[in-house]
Amino acid sequence: MEFKRELNENQYKAVTTSSQYVRVVAGAGSGKTRVLTYRIAYLLSEMDVAPWAILAITFTNKVAAEMRTRVIRMISNDEKDLTIRTFHSFAANFLRREISVLGFPSSFTILDEEDQTKMIKDIAAEMGYKRGDKIVGKTLNYIGSMKLQEKYPEDINIVKPHFEDERTCLEMYTRYEEMKNNNLSLDFDDLLLKTNYILENFPEIRLKWQNRYEHILIDEFQDTNNIEYKLVKYLLNPNTSLYVVGDPDQTIYTWRGANQKIILELEKEFSRIETIILDRNYRSTQNILDSANSLIAHNKLRVKKNLYTESLPGEKVVVKAAVTAKAEADYVAKEINKLVQFGHYSYSDIALLYRSNYVTMEFETALTKYQIPYEIYGGTKFYQRREIKDVLAYFHLIVNTRDDVSFERIINVPRRGIGETTINIIKQEARDAKKSMYNYILEVDPDNSEIPSKAINALQRMIRVISDTRDAINANEEVFSKTIEQMIWDFGYLDYLLKEDDGDERIENVKALFSDIRHFLMSNPDSTFDEYLQNISLLSAQDEMVTGDHITLMTVHTAKGLEFPVVFIVRFNDGVFPNQRALNEDGYLALEEERRLAYVAMTRAKEKLYITFSNDFSYVLGGTYRPSQFIMESNNEIINERMNNVYTPKARTTSYNDRNIFNDGDHITFGVVKEEPKRQNFDQNTNGIEYSEWKIGDTVLHKKFGEGRVVALDGDGIITVNFFEHGLKTIMGNHPFVSKGGK
């Protein structure tokens, strides 16, 4: 093979090195998999290494199969004894041969995720829980967390529980292990833990396997966790060659246990290690790489490199500032249409990436509005998410008490102690009475019903709250977004979600829904709650477009390893990206990981990269959006454009990262700014008052409530007014009934 002709200089050096210990730091798009494949072929064809003496570890079975096929094609020989596996696949093969020392037969069963979940559900049912109770998911997460720490039940001693149900989770974990052992089964985590246990405690077996492999090669080494690395070290003898390939700048799975220190500090364990950097990129244009390089250079925990390409510079990265979240989404949708109509791209060439799932709502709405087909990967469409459907079910009951589908959905959400048996009784009695479940419970005679009195009382309390909310909305005294929000929180839905493992993300989704309602009111100040629900129903009932050509929507985590000609990174705002919750939990380490996430997102783009953010009020964050600090760090120009029919805040100055953002309503000055011509101002509201004109202390004149004073500005066009005769009311600042009085 002509290795020198087929590889660039650094790739060739990495493939042909004679060093015993090698760390290849391979930047995004630099041909990492190619180098690893050629290295194996080089060992076989040029170094006469026996195929059975090579162990290559990849992170997916698909990559392992592809790599084997490519190696065989390159050396024109069917090397059946060549071992290319994932860590779990290697461990399973090892245990088939060696697990008898633990008293297990080699015919043990491997449980997949579905099997594991079913087993925990069975245990929950035996302990008196329902199979769908939250304790199931909580226990599964607990078991995974404990095994990542290499702890079985006998290793855990709870003195003071770390969370409410820890003792229950430990009891279920104990039963789970007993059931597995009785069934002669292992789960995925067991494969690694049992392998390490045997290698550590049975020296003769460890020596046998250490003498088997002369070369160990590992792909995606930056994502290796402590247990996997321990396995590798057990397999090394003084003469074994270790060859690892990875990119510390793409370590984005520390929350799954990946330990970035392993690749960064490898030279501490192997003083003679050779580090080779692959920095020539074959994927992206230089302008995209310059942006990514500038950003990631702010990280301290990394191996320094600077990606470059020998192709054309390409187009500049477009960084777009929108005044509102809706305007940001509309810009993205319109730009996609332009790219498809005039830029010779297909929908499938374009990806829309984001940090958190809750931000998709406005973008899904805009894509649907402009009839752009899309698919969400690794997530659920916004209006199909469980918590959104829960809240919308309550909304539907406000306007339609005959909606049995909605009533049954929330009958025990949050928990009211109502089981399936009771629900079936309610359905049957309501059916016999020819009434909806809601109306039947409202008027039920407890003395002539088999429904437990506890359930009747709980549901009647729920109905009273819904009825009071309906009355408040019909009275039209308060902006209805506040009224329905208060109803949901009064039901205890916030606490209900907080008890879930992904509760914070679900709460963010609910807040995003409330934010959407506030935006709807801002654009339609005299609209009704029925009209809002109608809009939502029409949107969520849109027929799915059946086509293979669609926009791809996904989180950055899901996009790892993929590439697209055109990438939009959206909602690039502080608090969103970087994620505020992550920063609160892990501080600077989290900031570095968030920056690596942004770097991964940028380097998915081959030809065009768009970054968008808004300057809107964020109900999720509880304040006005600010541009992500990563925009400044990536050293791009920001294009600002005054959008049509959107609310624009007045001038303000916000201290930010030792620099200032100056927002005069038309333009945001942040780093280097390229201005576009102003458009005609269509932002004035129906009563002639812009929300930004209101200040605390202003006099308000209302056609119904009379005179009052502004006491709070709540964002999204909402003001709180203390009316002299009617007290505090929360209203839209641009409502047709509202005008400004004299001082």
Side-chain angles (χ1 to χ4, degrees):
M1 291 184 61
E2 298 185 31
F3 289 95
K4 197 159 192 175
R5 183 173 62 84
E6 297 180 21
L7 301 166
N8 68 37
E9 182 179 349
N10 282 3
Q11 288 176 336
Y12 179 75
K13 182 179 179 182
V15 166
T16 61
T17 178
S18 59
S19 297
Q20 181 179 2
Y21 305 117
V22 181
R23 175 178 61 176
V24 179
V25 178
S30 63
K32 164 181 65 66
T33 304
R34 179 183 179 84
V35 163
L36 195 57
T37 304
Y38 272 70
R39 173 65 175 178
I40 296 171
Y42 181 81
L43 292 174
L44 292 169
S45 63
E46 304 298 321
M47 303 297 292
D48 294 324
V49 177
W52 53 262
I54 296 174
L55 169 62
I57 299 290
T58 68
F59 270 72
T60 69
N61 290 309
K62 180 182 177 182
V63 171
E66 291 174 350
M67 190 175 294
R68 171 185 289 279
T69 300
R70 290 172 63 181
V71 169
I72 291 172
R73 188 184 303 125
M74 289 169 67
I75 62 176
S76 302
N77 192 7
D78 185 6
E79 299 291 358
K80 294 180 180 179
D81 293 329
L82 179 63
T83 304
I84 304 179
R85 298 180 180 272
T86 65
F87 273 113
H88 288 95
S89 174
F90 170 82
N93 182 64
F94 172 91
L95 291 174
R96 295 292 183 200
R97 304 184 185 196
E98 309 292 356
I99 200 170
S100 60
V101 297
L102 302 182
F104 251 61
S106 60
S107 58
F108 63 85
T109 299
I110 300 175
L111 302 177
D112 62 18
E113 189 174 328
E114 185 176 341
D115 297 328
Q116 188 181 19
T117 301
K118 182 182 181 303
M119 193 174 286
I120 296 298
K121 286 182 175 181
D122 290 342
I123 293 169
E126 290 175 6
M127 294 174 63
Y129 293 96
K130 291 192 179 70
R131 298 174 65 83
D133 279 349
K134 293 185 182 66
I135 195 66
V136 172
K138 190 171 287 189
T139 299
L140 286 166
N141 287 332
Y142 181 74
I143 292 172
S145 174
M146 289 300 101
K147 290 194 174 183
L148 195 60
Q149 299 174 51
E150 302 177 75
K151 291 182 180 180
Y152 281 100
E154 60 270 22
D155 303 315
I156 303 169
N157 179 30
I158 300 175
V159 178
K160 182 179 179 181
H162 293 87
F163 56 91
E164 182 181 354
D165 297 314
E166 185 177 9
R167 294 190 193 279
T168 303
C169 288
L170 178 56
E171 182 181 352
M172 294 179 74
Y173 184 12
T174 302
R175 292 198 187 190
Y176 169 72
E177 287 300 314
E178 292 172 352
M179 189 178 293
K180 276 199 303 95
N181 289 334
N182 290 336
N183 294 342
L184 300 177
S185 302
L186 299 178
D187 61 30
F188 269 44
D189 292 324
D190 291 330
L191 297 177
L192 298 178
L193 293 176
K194 300 295 186 187
T195 295
N196 282 352
Y197 182 84
I198 293 172
L199 288 170
E200 180 179 1
N201 292 282
F202 296 88
E204 68 284 0
I205 295 177
R206 181 172 68 248
L207 183 62
K208 177 175 69 174
W209 285 82
Q210 284 179 342
N211 291 334
R212 178 185 178 97
Y213 298 117
E214 298 174 14
H215 292 267
I216 297 177
L217 305 93
I218 306 174
D219 193 14
E220 299 285 5
F221 193 67
Q222 77 279 351
D223 291 329
T224 302
N225 65 36
N226 293 338
I227 296 172
E228 293 162 343
Y229 186 45
K230 183 181 287 189
L231 190 160
V232 171
K233 289 195 290 185
Y234 281 139
L235 295 175
L236 297 176
N237 68 39
N239 298 314
T240 310
S241 293
L242 178 64
Y243 188 98
V244 303
V245 182
D247 183 6
D249 289 338
Q250 296 187 70
T251 305
I252 61 174
Y253 293 114
T254 59
W255 52 280
R256 287 186 187 170
N259 185 354
Q260 190 193 21
K261 287 184 178 180
I262 295 173
I263 189 171
L264 288 176
E265 300 179 357
L266 211 56
E267 69 274 9
K268 292 182 179 179
E269 294 205 44
F270 305 99
S271 57
R272 293 180 289 113
I273 196 168
E274 178 184 13
T275 295
I276 301 170
I277 295 177
L278 305 183
D279 49 7
R280 180 179 173 184
N281 179 281
Y282 291 87
R283 175 190 300 155
S284 307
T285 65
Q286 190 62 52
N287 278 323
I288 292 172
L289 296 179
D290 287 345
S291 180
N293 287 332
S294 178
L295 172 69
I296 202 64
H298 288 79
N299 270 10
K300 297 177 181 177
L301 303 175
R302 63 187 298 259
V303 176
K304 290 185 179 180
K305 66 179 182 303
N306 213 44
L307 295 180
Y308 73 95
T309 180
E310 295 187 359
S311 63
L312 296 173
E315 298 182 27
K316 287 187 176 181
V317 176
V318 176
V319 182
K320 191 73 170 182
V323 182
T324 68
K326 179 181 180 298
E328 179 189 3
D330 279 350
Y331 165 77
V332 170
K334 290 176 181 177
E335 195 65 22
I336 288 171
N337 271 340
K338 289 180 186 176
L339 290 169
V340 172
Q341 292 174 16
F342 308 113
H344 309 295
Y345 290 100
S346 62
Y347 288 125
S348 59
D349 290 330
I350 303 170
L352 196 154
L353 307 183
Y354 38 85
R355 174 61 178 86
S356 301
N357 281 311
Y358 77 85
V359 308
T360 66
M361 181 181 57
E362 288 95 353
F363 297 95
E364 290 185 58
T365 301
L367 293 173
T368 302
K369 172 183 172 183
Y370 291 99
Q371 298 183 319
I372 298 173
Y374 69 93
E375 289 291 336
I376 294 181
Y377 288 84
T380 307
K381 291 187 177 182
F382 186 83
Y383 291 105
Q384 298 303 314
R385 291 169 189 164
R386 173 168 59 82
E387 61 277 11
I388 299 303
K389 291 177 76 69
D390 288 346
V391 173
L392 289 177
Y394 276 108
F395 290 176
H396 288 307
L397 287 171
I398 293 174
V399 299
N400 179 13
T401 63
R402 297 180 61 84
D403 186 347
D404 278 349
V405 173
S406 292
F407 188 85
E408 187 171 354
R409 180 178 186 88
I410 52 84
I411 195 170
N412 201 37
V413 178
R415 296 188 189 283
R416 299 184 178 91
I418 300 171
E420 290 183 17
T421 301
T422 300
I423 293 173
N424 289 331
I425 294 172
I426 294 172
K427 291 165 73 173
Q428 186 59 53
E429 290 189 7
R431 194 179 301 119
D432 293 342
K434 297 183 179 180
K435 293 182 179 180
S436 69
M437 296 168 70
Y438 180 105
N439 289 324
Y440 179 73
I441 290 293
L442 181 64
E443 302 167 356
V444 68
D445 180 1
D447 295 332
N448 295 314
S449 172
E450 295 183 13
I451 305 170
S453 58
K454 180 181 177 182
I456 293 176
N457 292 334
L459 290 173
Q460 286 184 340
R461 283 195 298 271
M462 178 191 80
I463 287 173
R464 279 196 296 273
V465 174
I466 293 174
S467 179
D468 290 344
T469 302
R470 183 187 305 114
D471 291 342
I473 290 173
N474 290 338
N476 197 27
E477 292 188 352
E478 303 269 352
V479 59
F480 67 73
S481 63
K482 283 281 189 179
T483 306
I484 57 176
E485 176 189 343
Q486 190 60 49
M487 177 190 74
I488 296 301
W489 299 147
D490 284 348
F491 280 132
Y493 196 66
L494 177 66
D495 293 333
Y496 170 77
L497 291 179
L498 281 173
K499 292 178 181 178
E500 301 194 6
D501 296 310
D502 57 353
D504 287 339
E505 183 174 342
R506 293 189 184 278
I507 289 170
E508 288 175 347
N509 289 336
V510 174
K511 287 184 175 182
L513 178 65
F514 288 137
S515 180
D516 181 60
I517 298 170
R518 292 157 72 101
H519 279 75
F520 175 80
L521 280 168
M522 186 175 65
S523 302
N524 308 276
D526 56 348
S527 60
T528 66
F529 184 53
D530 291 23
E531 290 171 334
Y532 173 76
L533 278 184
Q534 176 178 298
N535 284 350
I536 290 296
S537 298
L538 290 173
L539 177 65
S540 56
Q542 289 283 340
D543 292 335
E544 293 292 332
M545 300 182 184
V546 182
T547 174
D549 188 21
H550 53 254
I551 303 297
T552 298
L553 276 67
M554 63 176 68
T555 64
V556 181
H557 283 104
T558 306
K560 175 78 182 294
L562 302 178
E563 59 183 41
F564 300 88
V566 182
V567 168
F568 288 82
I569 308 175
V570 300
R571 201 55 50 82
F572 216 54
N573 289 91
D574 269 349
V576 181
F577 206 163
N579 180 272
Q580 191 59 51
R581 182 153 41 92
L583 300 184
N584 291 343
E585 291 174 358
D586 291 312
Y588 181 77
L589 289 177
L591 178 61
E592 290 225 343
E593 178 138 355
E594 292 292 305
R595 196 176 279 118
R596 292 195 295 269
L597 262 177
Y599 173 81
V600 167
M602 290 179 179
T603 53
R604 299 312 93 196
K606 297 168 69 175
E607 300 170 15
K608 288 177 176 288
L609 174 61
Y610 294 80
I611 296 172
T612 68
F613 65 93
S614 86
N615 193 47
D616 210 341
F617 179 86
S618 167
Y619 181 67
V620 175
L621 299 178
T624 302
Y625 277 129
R626 299 187 303 178
S628 171
Q629 70 179 80
F630 297 157
I631 295 176
M632 177 185 69
E633 294 175 1
S634 58
N635 197 31
N636 288 303
E637 293 180 337
I638 300 176
I639 301 173
N640 299 285
E641 180 177 327
R642 189 179 184 88
M643 301 292 181
N644 290 349
N645 302 316
V646 294
Y647 148 66
T648 306
K650 277 251 184 187
R652 65 181 177 86
T653 302
T654 304
S655 178
Y656 182 69
N657 260 20
D658 300 324
R659 302 186 66 168
N660 285 331
I661 305 167
F662 301 98
N663 180 2
D664 64 2
D666 292 333
H667 304 94
I668 303 170
T669 304
F670 183 86
V672 184
V673 178
K674 176 183 177 181
E675 296 186 0
E676 288 189 353
K678 294 183 183 179
R679 296 183 177 183
Q680 184 179 353
N681 180 5
F682 293 105
D683 293 335
Q684 201 169 44
N685 298 308
T686 54
N687 61 1
I689 303 174
E690 292 191 46
Y691 166 70
S692 56
E693 293 181 16
W694 290 111
K695 298 179 180 63
I696 293 176
D698 281 352
T699 299
V700 177
L701 300 177
H702 192 282
K703 288 184 180 180
K704 181 177 180 180
F705 305 132
E707 187 175 345
R709 293 260 192 263
V710 177
V711 296
L713 306 175
D714 295 339
D716 286 335
I718 297 173
I719 61 176
T720 300
V721 181
N722 186 13
F723 289 100
F724 301 147
E725 296 182 7
H726 295 273
L728 289 174
K729 302 289 181 186
T730 305
I731 61 176
M732 295 303 301
N734 62 345
H735 197 280
F737 283 12
V738 174
S739 60
K740 183 176 286 192
K743 290 288 186 182

